[in-house]
Amino acid sequence: MFGYDSAFIGGTLTLPAFKSRFGPADASGNTAASLSAIIVSTFQAGCFFGAILVYYFTEKLGRRIPLMECGAIFDLGAILQVPSSGKRSHLRRSRSACSKFLPALKEPDIVGCAVTMPFKVSIMSSLDDVTEEGRVMGAINTVFLRRAADGSTRHIGTNTDCIGVREAFLQNFPEVSTKALGKPALVIGGGGACRAAVFALWKWLGASFGGELVHVASIEQAAALEAPVLVVGTVPNFPPKEEGYILEMCYHPKTRTEFFNLDEEAGWKMLYNTKSMI
């Protein structure tokens, strides 16, 4: 059910009917991103605390009663959302987890933080500045402090995923710097990790994008393109056909993904996501 709900809520946010009724279609980039982040994070928070609570009640009452109660809560949520008629308050009853976190970030004993999905884009507007890499990618994963000339503290956003992608390849496969030069590269997936991968492949690893990114939408289109030397997986999908080097950026719910196994069986040299954590 968790996988189904994750896919369902992500797809719902992109539906034209949802956008027209709940406002993201008319909102600015940051506002739309914040609304989507709130909805997704509320779902994930419910899953997190629900998993903890259901363990306790299962131990006390057995499996049947907690399952029935969870089903009743699920049905109640559906009932509340069906007649919502465009009212966002029915979809969210609490403030954004991001907005709650920002005041804590300004505490004197905090020196920075890591940022993960779904806040890599929405948090940027709340910071004092963003590094050049972060601006180019349009997503950050790290916040650090910088002392201004007037003595004040500024919160700066940056993206270290791109450095992780670069160093994961270069430190584990040094020959990449010559073999990948001028060759096409492939990024599977989207989101902040995808942006960082594209940046690293283009800026430091010599990958050629032919002047523009190509969205590969079919097997036939992929078969007609030159095989990539470097591949970064951010959402596992297609198995490779020729040997090369792959960094698997996905690590949830496990680091050894199906995509990883398929590529390894096909003879590609693989890197776990942990290799990009610097």
Side-chain angles (χ1 to χ4, degrees):
M1 287 299 292
F2 179 80
Y4 168 80
D5 289 339
S6 298
F8 182 82
I9 196 169
T12 300
L13 295 176
T14 64
L15 292 176
F18 180 88
K19 292 181 178 181
S20 63
R21 294 183 66 185
F22 293 97
D26 300 325
S28 64
N30 287 334
T31 302
S34 297
L35 177 60
S36 298
I38 291 169
I39 295 173
V40 174
S41 61
T42 301
F43 159 72
Q44 293 175 337
C47 294
F48 176 79
F49 291 108
I52 295 175
L53 291 173
V54 79
Y55 170 78
Y56 172 80
F57 288 112
T58 300
E59 288 294 310
K60 294 291 184 180
L61 305 174
R63 297 178 61 185
R64 185 174 63 176
I65 294 178
L67 281 173
M68 294 173 63
E69 292 175 344
C70 289
I73 294 173
F74 187 95
D75 292 340
L76 176 62
I79 292 171
L80 288 174
Q81 293 183 46
V82 168
S84 57
S85 300
K87 297 178 181 178
R88 297 180 190 174
S89 59
H90 286 217
L91 289 173
R92 49 172 177 156
R93 288 291 184 180
S94 61
R95 294 172 56 198
S96 165
C98 185
S99 64
K100 289 183 178 180
F101 171 73
L102 288 173
L105 185 60
K106 305 296 178 70
E107 294 293 329
D109 57 341
I110 301 298
V111 297
C113 71
V115 181
T116 188
M117 63 178 297
F119 301 114
K120 288 186 175 182
V121 176
S122 59
I123 197 174
M124 293 174 65
S125 61
S126 301
L127 302 176
D128 298 312
D129 199 3
V130 176
T131 62
E132 179 184 359
E133 292 84 359
R135 284 193 293 270
V136 172
M137 285 178 268
I140 66 167
N141 72 336
T142 303
V143 177
F144 65 93
L145 306 186
R146 177 177 290 167
R147 189 72 65 184
D150 60 1
S152 62
T153 299
R154 292 170 57 81
H155 293 77
I156 312 298
T158 189
N159 195 309
T160 61
D161 277 341
C162 57
I163 301 174
V165 171
R166 179 192 68 190
E167 294 304 310
F169 279 119
L170 294 180
Q171 291 186 25
N172 291 275
F173 304 124
E175 67 273 19
V176 158
S177 58
T178 55
K179 289 189 176 182
L181 188 62
K183 298 292 185 179
L186 173 66
V187 179
I188 302 176
C194 172
R195 300 183 187 204
V198 171
F199 182 86
L201 293 169
W202 161 73
K203 186 174 180 64
W204 295 311
L205 296 174
S208 171
F209 290 96
E212 63 179 8
L213 297 177
V214 177
H215 176 221
V216 181
S218 67
I219 296 177
E220 292 75 19
Q221 183 185 4
L225 296 172
E226 182 182 356
V229 174
L230 297 177
V231 177
V232 178
T234 59
V235 176
N237 199 354
F238 300 111
K241 291 186 177 181
E242 297 187 22
E243 293 185 10
Y245 309 88
I246 295 181
L247 168 63
E248 170 59 284
M249 287 292 285
C250 283
Y251 56 87
H252 180 76
K254 57 184 179 180
T255 55
R256 193 177 183 89
T257 62
E258 182 177 350
F259 175 71
F260 188 105
N261 293 331
L262 288 171
D263 299 334
E264 191 173 54
E265 291 173 4
W268 284 60
K269 297 177 180 177
M270 300 299 300
L271 291 171
Y272 285 103
N273 168 272
T274 51
K275 296 293 185 180
S276 68
M277 296 181 179
I278 59 172

